[in-house]
Amino acid sequence: MNAENSPPDSPLVIHDMTVAYGRKPVLWNIDYVSPSRKLIAIVGPNGAGKSTLLKAALGLIPRQNGEALFFGQPYQKVRQKVAYVPQRSSVDWDFPISALEVAAMGCYGRMGWFRPVNRDAKNTALAALEQVGLGDVARRQIGQLSGGQQQRVFLARALAQDADLYLMDEPFAAVDATTEQSIVAMLQALRDRGKTTIVVHHDLQTVSEYFDEVLLLNLRLIAAGAVSEVLTPQNLKATYGGQLSILDAVGQRMSARQSVTS
Amino acid sequence: MSYNALLVLSGTMLLGASCGLMGVFLTLRRQVLLSDVISHAALPGVAMAFLLGLWLAPEKAGTLPWLVGGSMFASGVAVLICFALQQVKPLWGEAAFGIPLGGFLALGVVFFSIIQQVPSGNAAGLEGLLFGRAAALSSTDVLLLGGLAGIVVIVCLLLRKELLLIAFDREFAIAQGLPVALLDMLLTGMTAAICVLALPMVGFLLVVALMVTPAAAARFWSDRLGLMIPVSVMLGMVSAGLGTLISGQLEYVPTGPAIVLCATMFFAISVCFGWSHGVVYQWWSRRLLKQEQLLDDLLRSTYEEFEAATAKLHSPTMAPAETGQQDLNQQSLDKRLSGVHPWAGAPEEFWLHQEVCFPKSIPTKDLSLLKQNAVNRGCLRIDSAGQWRMTELGWQKAKAVVLRHRLLELYLIEHAEFPPAQGDRTADLLEHALGPHTVDELKILLRIDFGQGVIRSPHPLEATSIREVSP
């Protein structure tokens, strides 16, 4: 499938994308057109490049080759329509900032430069925190929240952005079962409001229960489509089975050879 | 105070405030070492500017604009070298900063030795840059330094939201499309500018202290940036003002050390008494909390004594079935009741038997403190006969405390399936953390409607067979 003849309103179109860390390729020739208004999971074994796929599509890490279009346009032009929730780990938890102030960051893009954070932004942020069940800890410093609450603060920040496409990197990591259920309910509510969500997910058991579509990934795109069609034994074997070791070995050898020649 | 002295004072205060402001960003970004590099690189910059000035325009060599320009240039070069070194693989962060720092300092010392040999070198007043000499500044100097610092402060406040974002979550800032590299450079440049501008006032050895100390102190007062920034700015400003005044009075004391000593003093105060993280403050509030808990325990045990006594007087012939443990506890019960005598019915006239009501587990020293605390809060009083008595207010509080304990105990037994004895002990530990909100929640959850009264204890209290007591 080519980027050129895909529907222009598709939230995410990835065309022939290859990504490498240093000299080692971690994603090969990814071609993907996401449907809109769906809840989509990216599934694959550890090191399959799930998080990398999101980051490379957003341009947070450089692409070796290929392009990613959001709603038919490059990311730079539609940043406000795309909200990204990174894995919970990269920030300084001692930072003197409250949950409310973090959530309000979702509104920064709309506010423009030089403007102070206004009441509107604070109200939006508070509403988003209430939506994820954190209304009564909004004033707490983020380090004083539990791991699951911290994760939800960052979800609230994405909600405050009021985007049309949500990209989430392992939102269920380190949260308990109750929190997981409430996050899923929230994602489903988003879908019912016409939003698209793409989630990096590592639990195969719950894919069919939570998601509409799935994208099987292991260095390359194995299969993508409706959960019932894609989650077949053959596809799963291709994703989690042994034959990938060859691709991996080629990658290793390539990186070794390049480091000798360069 | 002369006009010039006043101008110098306000100039140093403005610089102190801007140091406090930049310090917040420096400490939040964990880049304290960077300001060290900047200030040390200023030394060869100043020396080079002086030498260059001697050669190009001898009459202007050693004037402030020359020196500030030279140090800004050298600091900028040093920062660029640091950032370039950070990109080189086998070097780690601190080394990438520490090595240029050492190199520039050594270069500076060499240059200064050369200047000492130049005929006009000694008269140049460059020594002031080592430890700062605010009094030597002319009013044009102050206007230049203050004006530049003011611009930096305004830019910083305008960009507060963006600078906060890149300090807190870089990846998100990039995803939002902020020009992160540009903002980084801007912030570093502004830090360098403030650093260099503050040099004539505090000297290059101590300028880092004036940036970092107020910010670090401010963190002890607040968990919120919105408060931390003004506190840091104020501490920087007051330290700079005080230090300048002190060094103005004692002329042999350079300005820099005087200012930094003031800042350090404020830091020490903040570490102890800061109401967010100050150690003494925290110790004190824990102590107050402990007192509160002991008072609660005292009120509860007194109430339960009263309950037992009421039961004994009102139903002297108790059915044995209701008091399964009566035989076991008969002895202690008699002892307790002997302490309650003489009692005529009204709770205020019930006096506290020393051994029973006051918790035994606490040391005598704390006990007297507890009694004093109870009297101060109007819960206890000593009557004319020297007996301890509960006041009306004390009874009100006691009822609430007992109710809270029993609600929690019931909850633990019914909902968390604790065995009754363990429920009592666990409730002892947890009850102090319950707010009025949680108590209301417990009432609803346990579906208990009892008006103003107190529910019966879920575990057998000796001699208690009443459902409700309303004194």
Side-chain angles (χ1 to χ4, degrees), chain A residues 55 60 75 79-80 86 91-92 94-97 105 108-109 111-115 142 144 157 161, chain B residues 28 30 158-159 161-162 164-165 167-169 171-172 174-179 183 219 223-225 228:
Chain A
K55 287 185 189 168
L60 293 178
Y75 177 55
R79 284 183 202 278
Q80 282 319 301
V91 305
D92 170 13
D94 282 336
F95 207 91
I97 193 170
M105 286 176 174
Y108 281 12
M111 288 161 55
W113 289 76
F114 305 120
R115 305 273 173 77
I142 43 153
Q144 293 166 359
R157 180 170 74 178
Q161 193 182 327
Chain B
L28 287 183
R30 311 259 156 111
L158 278 177
L159 286 175
K161 170 165 63 76
E162 284 76 15
L164 165 70
L165 192 55
F168 175 66
D169 193 343
E171 203 168 43
F172 182 73
I174 296 171
Q176 286 283 301
L178 283 183
L183 283 171
R219 190 66 181 83
D223 269 335
R224 293 186 45 233
L225 200 63
M228 191 183 155

Side-chain angles (χ1 to χ4, degrees), chain B residues 132-317:
Chain B
R133 185 155 290 288
L137 295 175
S138 71
S139 51
T140 26
D141 291 347
V142 173
L143 287 178
L144 174 77
L145 297 178
L148 287 174
I151 292 173
V152 170
V153 169
I154 289 170
V155 171
C156 232
L157 290 180
L158 278 177
L159 286 175
R160 203 194 113 180
K161 170 165 63 76
E162 284 76 15
L163 294 177
L164 165 70
L165 192 55
I166 61 166
F168 175 66
D169 193 343
R170 247 183 119 72
E171 203 168 43
F172 182 73
I174 296 171
Q176 286 283 301
L178 283 183
V180 173
L182 198 72
L183 283 171
D184 257 349
M185 261 165 26
L186 181 71
L187 189 57
T188 308
M190 291 195 299
T191 309
I194 292 295
C195 230
V196 167
L197 293 174
L199 278 185
M201 180 178 87
V202 265
F204 81 102
L205 280 176
L206 288 173
V207 69
V208 180
L210 183 53
M211 290 202 141
V212 175
T213 313
R219 190 66 181 83
F220 285 90
W221 294 97
S222 178
D223 269 335
R224 293 186 45 233
L225 200 63
L227 193 60
M228 191 183 155
I229 288 180
V231 170
S232 176
V233 165
M234 207 192 63
L235 288 180
M237 192 167 74
V238 174
S239 309
L242 272 180
T244 309
L245 286 178
I246 290 171
S247 121
Q249 291 301 310
L250 310 169
E251 275 187 25
Y252 44 88
V253 176
T255 328
I259 290 176
V260 171
L261 275 181
C262 289
T264 311
M265 185 188 72
F266 286 129
F267 176 75
I269 293 173
S270 306
V271 170
C272 292
F273 303 107
W275 57 57
S276 199
H277 298 279
V279 280
V280 175
Y281 179 81
Q282 284 194 333
W283 171 79
W284 183 248
S285 27
R286 267 202 300 276
R287 205 181 140 85
L288 285 183
L289 200 66
K290 176 85 184 159
Q291 282 293 322
E292 195 94 330
Q293 292 181 1
L294 284 175
L295 183 62
D296 283 358
D297 289 345
L298 170 69
L299 291 175
R300 183 156 68 89
S301 64
T302 310
Y303 189 94
E304 284 174 350
E305 282 305 305
F306 167 71
E307 215 177 43
T310 321
K312 184 74 178 176
L313 284 191
H314 286 192
S315 53
T317 51

Side-chain angles (χ1 to χ4, degrees), chain A residues 100 103 120-135 138 156 159-160:
Chain A
L100 185 68
D120 262 7
K122 280 183 186 155
N123 289 340
T124 311
L126 190 59
L129 282 174
E130 276 163 2
Q131 221 176 320
V132 297
L134 293 179
L159 289 181

Side-chain angles (χ1 to χ4, degrees), chain A residues 140-250:
Chain A
R140 293 250 188 99
Q141 193 259 338
I142 43 153
Q144 293 166 359
L145 302 177
S146 72
Q149 288 175 324
Q150 289 170 346
Q151 177 68 51
R152 281 185 281 161
V153 170
F154 287 92
L155 282 175
R157 180 170 74 178
L159 289 181
Q161 193 182 327
D162 194 27
D164 293 322
L165 171 64
Y166 291 86
L167 303 176
M168 302 186 180
D169 200 346
E170 303 246 10
F172 303 125
V175 303
D176 58 36
T178 327
T179 310
E180 183 165 322
Q181 291 301 330
S182 70
I183 294 177
V184 168
M186 199 194 82
L187 297 183
Q188 285 164 348
L190 278 178
R191 174 198 53 201
D192 297 341
R193 277 164 44 205
K195 317 278 189 184
T196 309
T197 309
I198 302 180
V199 176
V200 171
H201 192 55
H202 61 249
D203 184 13
L204 258 183
Q205 312 294 325
T206 51
V207 169
S208 52
E209 185 190 337
Y210 294 165
F211 296 95
D212 310 320
E213 296 247 337
V214 64
L215 198 155
L216 289 176
L217 193 73
N218 192 349
L219 305 183
R220 66 207 163 89
L221 185 68
I222 310 287
V227 171
S228 54
E229 291 162 22
V230 171
L231 282 191
T232 62
Q234 292 94 320
N235 279 342
L236 287 177
K237 197 169 171 226
T239 313
Y240 289 89
Q243 56 267 67
L244 302 152
S245 53
I246 292 176
L247 203 54
D248 194 39
V250 173

